Amino acid sequence: MTDVTHNPTIPSYTKHNSNAKKAVAAASIGNALEWYDFTIYALFAVYIAKNFFPGGNDTVELIKSFLAFGLGFLIRPLGAVVLGVYADKAGRKAALFLTIMIMAAGTLLIAIAPTYAAIGIGAPMIILAGRVLQGFSAGGEVGSAAAFLVEHAPEGQKGKYAAWLQASMAFSNIIGAFVALGVTSLLTEDQIGDWGWRIPFILGLLIAPVGLWMRRSLDETPHFKAKFDEKPEAAHKEHAPLKEIFTTYRGALLKGTAFSVLWAASVYVMVIYMPVYVQRAFGFTGTQAFISALISNILMAIACIAAGAVSDKIGRRLTLAITTTVLLIAIHPLLWWLHHSPTLGTLITVQSCFCVMVAGVVGVAPSALSEVFPTHIRSTGMSLAYNISTTIFGGFAPAALTWLGTTSLGYSAPAWYVSIAAVIALFAIFQMGDNKKTA
């Protein structure tokens, strides 16, 4: 991919500045908090459905709950525009601080929302409001956080540094799985349905101040500072990232969006939705599903960093072409095996393979997508490309697959869904340039 971030005006101390490691920690913690809130909604969707979307039918209730999950994604492109432009004008640090504040507000609404039995139609409206806030926040998170990591990374390690963005998502899934396992193990089914499902959301609020403190103590990225210093303040204020993307970088936006289709679909189908899916499709218990999710996400976190590091050596395009092809070939037989051998051992093995394959793609995705856009529009461009794909292929995937599971596709619906996304992504990958050590 074309080197669009190199700037000779950036101080040479960037390579070894300790701020880079601090940036990784801060961005990762904040991103993990953001994803944790999404993860626990999916993990406890069954209980949210019964409390807020009663319909007399378990499948209908769950579809309604996942539709609420998906509706939060409709606002993500707006969040991508508003927060992405804000990050390209005010700085990565300011945008990251704002996203976590908005996410915390959305999580609070869900945690304290009265049930449908208590206030009627107002209950699902509060849930939807919480999801809208979460979606708006998440819309600006990926672009801002990825730009922040790439622009703080030493030369030759940008893939490895940016991979922490998706590794932190795996960490959030691990935390979510631990919390879900604890709740389902210590409480009865009735207790979870009555009030226990709120515990994970409340815990999310308790750790939010840690991310806030870390983000407030950060330095702005050297790349952004250098771009700001190149222009007078008046010219910087007149900078219009959104207009420039749709006039000068439309091709880049199209390629980035097509590539991000697999980024979105693989995460939401094979990682986030899978613990719910295996319970309904294969009869696993919640505890079994959460144990599998815990183990597989540990492997995913490690594999993300490994994939990012490999891409620094052999290039983003080659790494993505290999990992996407492997995923495309392997997903169908793995799901077939789970269908014909629904044991805990098989589930752990299959889910671990899923997460490692996903990591091979998404661990490289942030650095690959960052190289499509230059510094002055990077956050806006990345946020738009990622969130357009996520809105269409990620947000409504659980609801679509819950319905598709009742059709002739049956248990194989997730495999076909991800396969289509992989084919689209492969076309985009081969249209993108390549870059081995620079970003």
Side-chain angles (χ1 to χ4, degrees):
M1 295 177 184
T2 304
D3 182 6
V4 292
T5 68
H6 176 69
N7 189 325
T9 65
I10 296 172
S12 59
Y13 66 74
T14 301
K15 272 191 174 183
H16 306 290
N17 197 320
S18 63
N19 283 340
K21 292 182 178 179
K22 185 177 180 181
V24 168
S28 298
I29 289 174
N31 192 60
L33 291 174
E34 298 257 9
W35 280 104
Y36 170 83
D37 293 322
F38 272 74
T39 299
I40 57 177
Y41 186 100
L43 292 177
F44 288 88
V46 172
Y47 303 103
I48 294 173
K50 291 188 177 297
N51 279 285
F52 296 94
F53 304 96
N57 179 287
D58 289 347
T59 300
V60 172
E61 290 175 353
L62 187 58
I63 289 176
K64 288 181 179 178
S65 179
F66 278 135
L67 283 174
F69 181 79
L71 284 173
F73 285 78
L74 292 179
I75 199 69
R76 288 182 68 148
L78 178 61
V81 171
V82 175
L83 297 175
V85 170
Y86 182 66
D88 284 331
K89 292 176 73 70
R92 319 309 190 200
K93 173 183 173 179
L96 290 175
F97 179 79
L98 184 58
T99 59
I100 202 169
M101 291 289 288
I102 298 172
M103 178 63 75
T107 302
L108 176 62
L109 281 181
I110 296 174
I112 66 174
T115 65
Y116 188 92
I119 64 171
I121 192 64
M125 293 298 102
I126 294 175
I127 295 296
L128 290 176
R131 289 293 303 135
V132 165
L133 286 174
Q134 289 182 330
F136 185 86
S137 169
E141 172 68 18
V142 169
S144 299
F148 189 81
L149 287 169
V150 166
E151 292 170 13
H152 266 298
E155 292 299 326
Q157 298 184 47
K158 296 184 183 298
K160 181 180 178 181
Y161 270 63
W164 279 97
L165 184 70
Q166 291 301 121
S168 67
M169 186 205 76
F171 288 133
S172 75
N173 292 337
I174 293 168
I175 297 171
F178 263 124
V179 172
L181 185 60
V183 170
T184 56
S185 300
L186 297 176
L187 301 178
T188 66
E189 192 71 13
D190 287 341
Q191 288 174 325
I192 299 172
D194 287 341
W195 52 270
W197 66 269
R198 298 181 188 272
I199 293 175
F201 292 95
I202 294 171
L203 290 176
L205 292 171
L206 292 176
I207 58 178
V210 178
L212 286 171
W213 176 81
M214 289 292 290
R215 288 188 170 182
R216 290 185 67 179
S217 64
L218 296 175
D219 289 331
E220 188 52 78
T221 72
H223 287 269
F224 184 84
K225 287 180 179 178
K227 284 294 181 182
F228 185 91
D229 291 342
E230 288 175 3
K231 300 179 180 180
E233 186 174 351
H236 185 77
K237 288 181 178 179
E238 293 174 1
H239 173 45
L242 188 62
K243 179 180 178 181
E244 188 169 350
I245 285 172
F246 283 103
T247 55
T248 308
Y249 291 92
R250 284 175 296 183
L253 179 61
L254 182 60
K255 293 175 189 176
T257 301
F259 163 67
S260 298
V261 165
L262 181 60
W263 187 356
S266 63
V267 168
Y268 283 95
V269 174
M270 300 175 71
V271 181
I272 294 177
Y273 177 62
M274 199 53 61
V276 176
Y277 180 74
V278 298
Q279 294 177 61
R280 296 183 60 81
F282 305 118
F284 288 101
T285 66
T287 299
Q288 290 174 321
F290 297 148
I291 289 174
S292 176
L294 174 62
I295 294 172
S296 59
N297 274 282
I298 291 173
L299 294 175
M300 182 177 174
I302 297 170
C304 278
I305 305 301
V310 169
S311 77
D312 285 329
K313 302 296 182 182
I314 68 173
R316 321 286 184 229
R317 185 169 63 185
L318 179 57
T319 306
L320 288 170
I322 293 171
T323 54
T324 300
T325 302
V326 169
L327 188 155
L328 181 61
I329 294 172
I331 185 172
H332 285 275
L334 284 171
L335 206 54
W336 180 90
W337 180 30
L338 184 60
H339 173 67
H340 287 85
S341 177
T343 66
L344 179 58
T346 305
L347 174 62
I348 292 173
T349 302
V350 169
Q351 185 62 41
S352 295
C353 289
F354 282 169
C355 282
V356 170
M357 290 190 299
V358 170
V361 175
V362 304
V364 184
S367 54
L369 191 58
S370 75
E371 292 168 355
V372 175
F373 303 98
T375 301
H376 66 290
I377 61 166
R378 178 172 293 129
S379 184
T380 305
M382 289 188 68
S383 295
L384 269 176
Y386 174 76
N387 284 290
I388 290 172
S389 294
T390 299
T391 299
I392 299 171
F393 286 89
F396 289 98
L401 292 175
T402 300
W403 173 72
L404 287 172
T406 65
T407 69
S408 59
L409 291 178
Y411 76 89
S412 65
W416 285 108
Y417 193 92
V418 175
S419 294
I420 293 171
V423 171
I424 295 172
L426 276 174
F427 278 106
I429 289 167
F430 287 111
Q431 292 297 315
M432 298 163 80
D434 201 9
N435 178 26
K436 291 185 178 181
K437 296 183 180 181
T438 60

